[in-house]
Amino acid sequence: MDLSALNAKVAQFARERDWEQFHSPKNLAMALTNEVGELVEIFQWLTEDQSRQAGSDPRTAQAVRDELADVQIYLSRLAYVLGVDMNEAVTSKIAKNAQKYPADKVRGTNKKYTEL
């Protein structure tokens, strides 16, 4: 995964609008939380089956795409501002999760690693 082009595009967007002054980690984290809340709101009263179809259901699909995009934009911006290489961070975290959740022990269960 390479997010450098996305990060550059989002940074340029902010720079062109002179918004960098507002993009402190605190503000970006709060904005990210708000966008996640808007995404969650789409799913709030859906059944499990409806939630699985939300990305393709004409009544919810565009809203899902828009909110996912907003979450990604703020996440990318926050990582950029903090100097976090998300490619490395995600790769490292997946490796840590593989240690905590070995496939042969967790296949088919939703137990937390402390319960295994």
Side-chain angles (χ1 to χ4, degrees), residues 51-90:
S51 73
R52 293 180 200 287
Q53 300 302 317
S56 58
D57 185 327
R59 295 170 293 184
T60 53
Q62 187 60 53
V64 167
R65 283 193 292 276
D66 288 347
E67 296 309 329
L68 284 170
D70 285 341
V71 168
Q72 182 62 59
I73 288 166
Y74 278 112
L75 181 61
S76 294
R77 186 73 178 132
L78 180 59
Y80 180 86
V81 167
L82 290 172
V84 173
D85 178 343
M86 288 301 290
N87 297 310
E88 187 281 323
V90 169

Side-chain angles (χ1 to χ4, degrees), residues 19 23 27-43 62-77:
W19 286 352
H23 288 183
N27 289 350
L28 290 167
M30 288 191 302
L32 176 59
T33 301
N34 291 338
E35 295 303 337
V36 169
E38 291 178 12
L39 178 61
V40 169
E41 187 177 20
I42 296 167
F43 293 93
Q62 187 60 53
V64 167
R65 283 193 292 276
D66 288 347
E67 296 309 329
L68 284 170
D70 285 341
V71 168
Q72 182 62 59
I73 288 166
Y74 278 112
L75 181 61
S76 294
R77 186 73 178 132

